[in-house]
Amino acid sequence: NEEPAPKLVRRIVIKRCPLLRICHNVGHALSEFHDNVPERREIKFGPVRISQELSRVLLVFPVEDGQSEAFMWACRKGGFMCSIVNTQEQVLEALEKRKHHIVVIDMRLPVNSTGEQICKKIRSVCGHQNTVLLAVSPAIPRWCEELSVVPYLEMGFNRRFLENHDRGACLNEIVMIDSNEIRSNFKLSLAYTLLQLIDESKDSVDITDTDGICTYVNQAFEKLTGFTKAEIVGNSTKALINEEKTCRDVPESMRRSMDEGRHWEGVIYNNRKSAEPVPVDLKIFPVLEDTPHSGALYFVTLRQDPSSGCKYCSYKSNSSRRMSNGRIRTESSNTSINSIPLGSTTSRRLSKQIDAPIIKILTMLRAIQDSAPSLPPNLIENITAMLRSSELYNPGSNSLTEDPEAIGFMDGLMEGRGTRLSISGDAALLSHRESAVGIGNAITSHVVPEEVKANLSHRKEWSYDIFQLERLTNRKPLLCIGFEILVEFGILNLFKIGESTLKHWLTAIESQYRPSNSYHNSTHAADVLQASAYYCRNKVMQKCLDALDFLALLIASICHDIDHPGRTNAFLCNVNHKLATLYNDSAVLESHHAAHTFKLTCQGEQSKTINIFQNLSSDVFKMMRKSIISMILATDMTQHFDHYNKFLAVIKPLNDTEQGDPASMGFPLNPDHKSLILRMAIKCSDISNQSRPQVLAKEWAHRIVLEYREQISEERRKELPPSLPSFDDIPKSQVYFIHIFANDLLGAFYEFLEMDNLIETMKQTFDYWDSFTDTNPYLDDPDK
């Protein structure tokens, strides 16, 4: 009966019958759940959270009966919006008004043609291609065999429901459809939307399975590779990798990372349809299932053209990051950032990369290529390849000369060759024992003789004889000339220090230069200081720089080779010296000179008496320290052509804009310009020997060759590869050095300073050495 039973009777029946107790609990839970169904719900799709309205149900019943009433009750109970129609016209009218997610069609009539026509018309209505169609078929007697669902699927239905007027059965059916088909269709529609977005994106995207078979590519992929969708979809993408130019270890590394479900990134060469290899920044990462320890279904690959604005390789992701059901593969030629909110952290980071001048140049070149198809083939590709080079300002040895000996000479000074060995034997002698000279005694006994004063009176001349000062000061010229020059440029007033502090500092610095070195000793430091001071007195330099810039240059000149072991960077790397290990084989000596300068001055035991920076403000000290370090590091020969070509590209155009008058340039210069001029000045001072008068140039040539011969002898004893070829021949080594290094660098800087007379002096020295290259008297008589 529909009359409710007394509470006591219900309690007794439910308590005594387990089946009724289960049904009562489930029904009670369903009742509470469906009585509080929200109007919208949240669907999780990988990292996406989507709010979706509740499903709408349309009932198509020509004759309303108990079955239609059961579905109506089920929809109301489940919180679904429901309506019922009776004819085809009403069906189309209802579908045109609003979208329905589930359509229940009565197929119990003997003639099913009406239901089949309705099914086909629903599929033809826009927006209802994924609507779930449920066919209600007649109930099957128990003694009859189950009928096939194939005819219903062929009509276009998704599911079949056997006639059952039970309300719970109808509710369960609607809930099951909503939880499975409707949610899955909603996720598929979102995925389809994303694919449409990817297809219009500037990023080149292709999706492949675990076998490397491509399943999707977008328009940007076609533009990047030259392949059409029809040519690549369904085929392997492995042929895109140019194995000849790509590093041999890359394919194996990629395969191993993909097998382990980890992302991979690196640089490969891609084959375009024209068979032209193009370098790309590649990133592959797996899209995994949500279950633990699941394998990848697809791979995502990002291929970034290095000439484009943003690099995917800058994206740092967790290798265990899980995405929805697959591995995706994306290839990019240009990064689209239009979808990134302005002001976000990612937007700011990408903007900084895109705004880089070299990136702007590469982007403009790519635009020129796209808009001007009549350009010579591979012209833009060759230009961009040169611009992408990490050695942008370094021409390379082969572009300067074809002479094998000259190339060996250049590589020996700039790069260094050979394998690293364990430190052994007298290589350990490279560790310098600090001098125990007492600074106090050195200062108190420092009385400048008349001969020294006479010599120093000529310190402003380019022909100044530093070797005479070396003899007069018992091989300690740096204290005397350093004190005179620094005081001349106002260090006492600007740094607010006394004479004793300056003398203590100069004595401490000079004690760290090794007298045993033929060339890299305190005399060389004094010579570089004198040359830098000569430049600082030039009218163009005084127009460019201020007093603190001059002092930074002079201090850097004094300290630029402090604690030099008399061996090159290449040698230290080859013997695995502790300094090479400390500075990772990069600018080993220059980094040591800079670090040792500030450690001795500011952190040593005697820093209180020798720290010339102690009275500077924090900001001024930081500026001085940065400038000094920058100049000392600039003396690294591996950066020679970088500084030279940057000077030509940046400073020389400023000079040219003022009708060739450097003194009338647009000043003041910005800090980058000033820093570049300072680096050029110390580099020119460091290698200025061959622009000195010939008598001085020959002595410096003898000393440098003598020091390098000692290194060559040690390399032979240790069976190391020679790092300094051609240095046994003094004239030839000087000809190579002037031709490859000094001529262009000194010529450009001296032209900037209007010192044409120094250029002429260097040419005369070059001619002198060149006259001995065929018959070399130094080879017959090593004492010469």
Side-chain angles (χ1 to χ4, degrees), residues 608-619:
K608 292 182 180 181
T609 58
I610 70 173
N611 188 357
I612 58 174
F613 307 111
Q614 57 188 317
N615 295 324
L616 296 178
S617 66
S618 176
D619 291 339

Side-chain angles (χ1 to χ4, degrees), residues 1 88 181 189-190 226 229 297 393 415 430 432 543 550 557 560 574 615 752:
N1 295 330
Q88 293 187 37
E181 280 88 344
S189 65
L190 177 62
K229 295 181 180 180
L297 301 179
Y393 292 96
E415 301 174 6
L430 291 174
H432 177 52
K543 188 81 171 179
F550 291 144
S557 301
H560 80 284
N574 285 342
N615 295 324
F752 173 69

Side-chain angles (χ1 to χ4, degrees), residues 763-776:
K763 290 181 179 179
Q764 294 174 2
T765 303
F766 177 83
D767 292 339
Y768 170 78
W769 291 121
D770 191 40
S771 64
F772 293 111
T773 52
D774 294 329
T775 58
N776 183 3

Side-chain angles (χ1 to χ4, degrees), residues 230-246:
E231 292 172 330
I232 199 68
V233 172
N235 297 316
S236 175
T237 57
K238 295 179 180 178
L240 292 174
I241 301 178
N242 187 297
E243 296 183 354
E244 294 182 0
K245 288 201 168 186
T246 302

Side-chain angles (χ1 to χ4, degrees), residues 95-257:
L95 295 178
E96 289 176 356
K97 286 184 178 180
R98 61 180 56 187
K99 178 179 177 62
H100 288 76
H101 304 90
I102 304 173
V103 178
V104 182
I105 302 177
D106 186 6
M107 296 293 290
R108 293 173 296 167
L109 299 178
V111 180
N112 299 347
S113 59
T114 302
E116 183 177 357
Q117 293 175 2
I118 292 175
C119 182
K120 291 182 179 180
K121 288 185 177 181
I122 291 175
R123 292 299 186 202
S124 65
V125 177
C126 180
H128 287 81
Q129 287 77 15
N130 294 324
T131 298
V132 177
L133 303 182
L134 175 64
V136 179
S137 63
I140 302 174
R142 276 183 286 177
W143 58 84
C144 293
E145 186 177 351
E146 176 75 19
L147 297 178
S148 173
V149 298
V150 174
Y152 293 97
L153 297 177
E154 291 176 349
M155 294 180 193
F157 288 98
N158 301 96
R159 293 175 66 92
R160 184 193 68 176
F161 179 79
L162 295 176
E163 182 179 5
N164 187 347
H165 293 196
D166 184 81
R167 295 178 176 182
C170 295
L171 175 61
N172 291 337
E173 183 69 18
I174 297 297
V175 171
M176 290 288 290
I177 293 175
D178 180 69
S179 300
N180 293 294
E181 280 88 344
I182 300 302
R183 295 199 181 194
S184 297
N185 287 340
F186 190 73
K187 293 178 180 180
L188 287 175
S189 65
L190 177 62
Y192 181 71
T193 303
L194 294 176
L195 286 178
Q196 285 185 315
L197 176 63
I198 294 173
D199 198 56
E200 297 296 330
S201 172
K202 295 180 181 179
D203 300 333
S204 172
V205 181
D206 76 282
I207 303 177
T208 60
D209 58 18
T210 54
D211 296 325
I213 304 300
C214 182
T215 59
Y216 168 84
V217 298
N218 69 343
Q219 299 177 29
F221 175 91
E222 297 177 306
K223 183 178 179 181
L224 178 66
T225 64
F227 292 99
T228 63
K229 295 181 180 180
E231 292 172 330
I232 199 68
V233 172
N235 297 316
S236 175
T237 57
K238 295 179 180 178
L240 292 174
I241 301 178
N242 187 297
E243 296 183 354
E244 294 182 0
K245 288 201 168 186
T246 302
C247 181
R248 291 179 297 177
D249 298 335
V250 165
E252 177 62 23
S253 175
M254 291 169 55
R255 184 194 63 78
R256 186 167 57 252
S257 297

Side-chain angles (χ1 to χ4, degrees), residues 377-644:
N378 302 330
L379 174 63
I380 300 297
E381 285 80 0
N382 294 336
I383 294 175
T384 55
M386 287 188 287
L387 290 176
R388 286 194 296 262
S389 172
S390 60
E391 300 294 338
L392 190 60
Y393 292 96
N394 191 342
S397 55
N398 293 331
S399 64
L400 294 174
T401 177
E402 296 181 356
D403 186 346
E405 290 188 11
I407 293 175
F409 175 87
M410 180 178 175
D411 291 342
L413 281 182
M414 294 189 61
E415 301 174 6
R417 300 170 295 180
T419 56
R420 294 175 63 90
L421 304 177
S422 299
I423 184 167
S424 60
D426 53 355
L429 297 177
L430 291 174
S431 57
H432 177 52
R433 296 182 179 179
E434 295 188 2
S435 175
V437 176
I439 293 178
N441 295 333
I443 293 299
T444 55
S445 61
H446 178 66
V447 177
V448 180
E450 291 299 324
E451 297 88 344
V452 174
K453 290 181 180 180
N455 174 274
L456 291 174
S457 65
H458 299 285
R459 69 181 184 277
K460 297 182 181 180
E461 301 171 5
W462 186 248
S463 58
Y464 176 71
D465 188 356
I466 193 69
F467 301 116
Q468 182 187 32
L469 181 64
E470 179 189 55
R471 292 189 295 271
L472 294 174
T473 58
N474 192 23
R475 304 189 67 183
K476 292 183 180 180
L478 190 56
L479 170 61
C480 296
I481 194 171
F483 182 83
E484 294 294 329
I485 289 177
L486 290 176
V487 170
E488 175 191 348
F489 283 88
I491 192 173
L492 300 181
N493 293 329
L494 291 173
F495 279 27
K496 300 177 183 179
I497 59 175
E499 292 186 2
S500 61
T501 301
L502 179 59
K503 291 178 180 179
H504 281 112
W505 180 74
L506 287 169
T507 303
I509 294 296
E510 187 161 29
S511 70
Q512 297 300 300
Y513 277 93
R514 308 184 187 188
S516 58
N517 294 342
S518 302
Y519 183 87
H520 290 98
N521 49 40
S522 66
T523 304
H524 168 65
D527 180 67
V528 173
L529 171 65
Q530 192 271 339
S532 295
Y534 186 84
Y535 300 152
C536 291
R537 299 185 190 99
N538 179 271
K539 63 178 181 178
V540 178
M541 290 286 282
Q542 291 181 358
K543 188 81 171 179
C544 294
L545 308 173
D546 56 32
L548 288 177
D549 293 326
F550 291 144
L551 287 177
L553 173 58
L554 299 175
I555 293 171
S557 301
I558 291 172
C559 305
H560 80 284
D561 272 335
I562 188 173
D563 195 38
H564 198 292
R567 299 292 183 267
T568 63
N569 283 332
F571 181 89
L572 298 183
C573 294
N574 285 342
V575 299
N576 198 23
H577 192 269
K578 61 180 181 180
L579 291 179
T581 303
L582 178 62
Y583 297 111
N584 300 313
D585 294 352
S586 178
V588 176
L589 287 173
E590 293 73 24
S591 299
H592 174 61
H593 301 325
H596 194 66
T597 295
F598 285 95
K599 182 179 180 182
L600 177 68
T601 304
C602 304
Q603 300 177 3
E605 296 179 358
Q606 301 167 336
S607 60
K608 292 182 180 181
T609 58
I610 70 173
N611 188 357
I612 58 174
F613 307 111
Q614 57 188 317
N615 295 324
L616 296 178
S617 66
S618 176
D619 291 339
V620 173
F621 172 70
K622 289 180 180 178
M623 183 273 293
M624 291 291 294
R625 172 177 161 82
K626 179 180 179 181
S627 181
I628 293 169
I629 292 175
S630 174
M631 283 184 275
I632 294 177
L633 293 180
T635 60
D636 179 13
M637 290 302 293
T638 61
Q639 303 298 318
H640 175 87
F641 292 103
D642 289 62
H643 296 298
Y644 165 67

Side-chain angles (χ1 to χ4, degrees), residues 743-784:
N743 183 57
D744 291 338
L745 186 79
L746 296 178
F749 192 66
Y750 292 163
E751 181 182 355
F752 173 69
L753 299 183
E754 296 183 319
M755 295 179 175
D756 296 338
N757 58 314
L758 303 188
I759 300 177
E760 185 60 31
T761 302
M762 180 173 59
K763 290 181 179 179
Q764 294 174 2
T765 303
F766 177 83
D767 292 339
Y768 170 78
W769 291 121
D770 191 40
S771 64
F772 293 111
T773 52
D774 294 329
T775 58
N776 183 3
Y778 287 89
L779 293 180
D780 300 330
D781 187 359
D783 293 335
K784 293 184 180 180

